[in-house]
Amino acid sequence: MSLNKKSVDDINVKGLRVLCRCDFNVPLKEGVITDTNRLTAALPTIKKLIADGGKVILCSHLGKPKGEPKPELSLAPVAAKLSELLGQEVKFAADAEVVGPNAKAAVEAMKDGDVVLLENTRYRAEETKNGEAFSKELASLCDVFVNDAFGTAHRAHCSNVGVAELVDTAAVGYLMQKEIDFLGNAVENPVRPFVAILGGAKVADKLNVISNLLEKCDTLIIGGGMAYTFLKAKGYEIGTSLVDDEKIDYCKEMMDKAEKLGKKLLLPIDTTITKEFPNPIDAEVAISVVDSDKIPADMMGLDIGTKTAELYADAVKSAKTVVWNGPMGVFENPILAKGTIAVAKSLAETDATTIIGGGDSAAAVNQLGFGDKMSHISTGGGASLEFLEGKELPGVAAANDK
Ligand code: AMP
């Protein structure tokens, strides 16, 4: 997949109607936005389009209205908040059908530099099916399309793919550009040594990621719940630890693949064990640390051990590029977060380019206070995983090449 995409810096939008797909999927509580991060993150692209004299028409989905206008998932509160953040009016086009009389009139009346926000694109059932009619309606509103919503880039919907195919110019915004630069280019063309770290609950969730990263990286580090299936594949007793029995052969294949490719595949050499899974998840638990081949039959591994944490931190020290997806243990519990903290700390301390996949890993890094020490924290969970799998992302592919 070409990752050399036309960006908002490469186009001239003066006097043109620009439809900009943003990620305004913000958390709402009784109509009040509880976290405005996604809105502030969208501002640089919006401001650039305003400064260039475009007529800026914003659109996004919010939650899952499943093709019906649900008032509690209206983007009206986003328009109000964005007006505040931008310091200029963001006119809200309240059409249940998204592209309706209000949207058309509002766009018709726009002057250069004005901003309009359309209603939740998922009010339309065609949106998530990439239906042609809705894509055409969106395209009829604009001359140029800009996609700045990475979170949905792994999906082909009307508002990110359908519409892009119907306009002459489809570019990416700054947020998308940053995701492409870090996740795409770093993985496809990394400065070496390239160390990839994978954790999280299950091997099955990350089959393709493991396989693809093994080809691209120099060292692949495995931690978290998925490590125990690898340890079982090595013939170790893993007690009552999390295991994907159906994936044992797959783990063996991956170990063979690493050997054939001459790649280092690091597995935990020791592990933090408990009698039971903590309930609630942050309850106090009694732990001990044993070598990975000495897990008693009635105990479960819930974090990497201290020697492993050192081994992994050392591997990170020698890297020039590090990609991390998935916690090393049950990080929600402070007693079982030590391995994840040690790895996060090693990433925070290195000069290497450090890239955190979205979802749980991003949450873990932020929650542990290391967020601002990373080169890039992806904003898309599913989309970042698919990038790491080496898949073509429809939302990225739909943008014009430079
Ligand atoms: P994922 O969504 O695949 O990234 O998995 C994240 C979840 O994996 C977190 O909620 C962790 O608590 C959980 N996890 C990490 N290590 C283990 C483990 N050894 N056993 C069970 N769950 C784990």
Side-chain angles (χ1 to χ4, degrees):
M1 157 167 74
S2 160
L3 295 174
N4 196 16
K5 294 293 169 184
K6 214 176 249 180
S7 89
V8 282
D9 287 330
D10 304 314
I11 56 175
N12 181 358
V13 299
K14 173 84 188 135
L16 298 179
R17 300 168 304 161
V18 189
L19 179 69
C20 183
R21 171 55 155 110
C22 298
D23 180 0
F24 294 150
N25 189 23
V26 288
L28 278 171
K29 207 170 179 189
E30 283 152 21
V32 178
I33 300 167
T34 54
D35 181 345
T36 55
N37 268 322
R38 288 196 163 149
L39 304 187
T40 38
L43 295 179
T45 299
I46 299 171
K47 283 183 177 165
K48 162 77 176 160
L49 296 170
I50 294 171
D52 286 354
K55 294 170 178 151
V56 188
I57 307 153
L58 306 172
C59 69
S60 172
H61 80 280
L62 173 60
K64 291 182 177 163
K66 305 234 164 95
E68 277 172 45
K70 297 231 168 82
E72 67 276 18
L73 292 174
S74 168
L75 279 173
V78 169
K81 193 71 196 173
L82 264 183
S83 301
E84 226 177 82
L85 295 169
L86 270 175
Q88 82 172 68
E89 190 197 5
V90 174
K91 192 168 172 44
F92 184 59
D95 288 316
E97 69 273 50
V98 187
V99 183
N102 289 311
K104 287 176 194 164
V107 170
E108 187 67 34
M110 283 178 104
K111 294 198 245 353
D112 294 359
D114 280 354
V115 184
V116 164
L117 173 63
L118 304 183
E119 185 51 284
N120 189 344
T121 52
R122 289 194 191 164
Y123 274 15
R124 291 286 292 264
E126 306 102 301
E127 161 73 333
T128 52
K129 300 182 188 93
N130 198 11
E132 201 181 359
F134 184 41
S135 299
K136 278 189 175 158
E137 288 171 38
L138 288 169
S140 74
L141 285 184
C142 68
D143 307 298
V144 173
F145 175 69
V146 169
N147 188 359
D148 211 17
F150 181 69
T152 46
H154 59 315
R155 304 275 183 249
H157 293 170
C158 296
S159 67
N160 68 336
V161 171
V163 63
E165 287 162 353
L166 296 170
V167 295
D168 292 336
T169 305
V172 296
Y174 292 127
L175 279 177
M176 277 285 263
Q177 186 64 55
K178 191 168 180 241
E179 298 280 1
I180 294 170
D181 286 347
F182 280 96
L183 276 166
N185 290 326
V187 173
E188 288 309 317
N189 203 359
V191 182
R192 295 182 185 279
F194 172 24
V195 173
I197 307 169
L198 288 180
K202 295 196 203 114
V203 174
D205 294 344
K206 291 177 190 163
L207 294 179
N208 297 325
V209 183
I210 298 171
S211 181
N212 185 49
L213 284 179
L214 209 43
E215 285 164 26
K216 305 279 160 60
C217 72
D218 301 292
T219 301
L220 179 64
I221 291 176
I222 304 273
M226 67 159 70
Y228 301 95
T229 305
F230 277 90
L231 295 176
K232 188 163 181 185
K234 280 181 73 148
Y236 295 176
E237 165 68 57
I238 57 159
T240 54
S241 307
L242 194 69
V243 66
D244 278 0
D245 272 315
E246 284 171 16
K247 297 290 172 272
I248 288 177
D249 284 343
Y250 175 85
C251 291
K252 284 183 187 159
E253 257 174 57
M254 290 302 113
M255 291 190 278
D256 287 346
K257 181 168 174 171
E259 200 173 323
K260 276 198 199 102
L261 294 171
K263 306 290 173 78
K264 267 193 218 153
L265 176 65
L266 299 183
L267 297 172
I269 50 175
D270 61 351
T271 184
T272 299
I273 53 172
T274 70
K275 195 92 189 148
E276 273 161 3
F277 197 90
N279 182 20
I281 197 157
D282 57 353
E284 203 157 308
V285 276
I287 55 164
S288 46
V289 179
V290 295
D291 285 348
S292 291
D293 57 351
K294 304 259 170 359
I295 301 175
D298 61 344
M299 302 286 275
M300 65 174 70
L302 291 181
D303 193 10
I304 56 173
T306 33
K307 284 190 280 185
T308 308
E310 266 175 52
L311 175 77
Y312 290 3
D314 270 349
V316 167
K317 262 184 213 153
S318 62
K320 287 272 189 290
T321 306
V322 187
V323 169
W324 181 17
N325 188 290
M328 295 291 100
V330 181
F331 75 99
E332 296 93 335
N333 187 313
I335 301 165
L336 302 166
K338 290 181 198 136
T340 303
I341 293 175
V343 168
K345 217 163 158 252
S346 72
L347 262 72
E349 284 166 0
T350 171
D351 293 332
T353 300
T354 46
I355 301 159
I356 313 297
D360 263 341
S361 336
V365 164
N366 283 324
Q367 188 185 313
L368 300 170
F370 295 107
D372 58 350
K373 299 280 194 323
M374 305 300 162
S375 312
H376 179 64
I377 301 180
S378 177
T379 53
S384 77
L385 267 185
E386 293 201 12
F387 239 145
L388 298 180
E389 286 176 24
K391 274 198 197 158
E392 176 171 282
L393 272 58
V396 175
N400 303 148
D401 290 334
K402 256 189 200 174

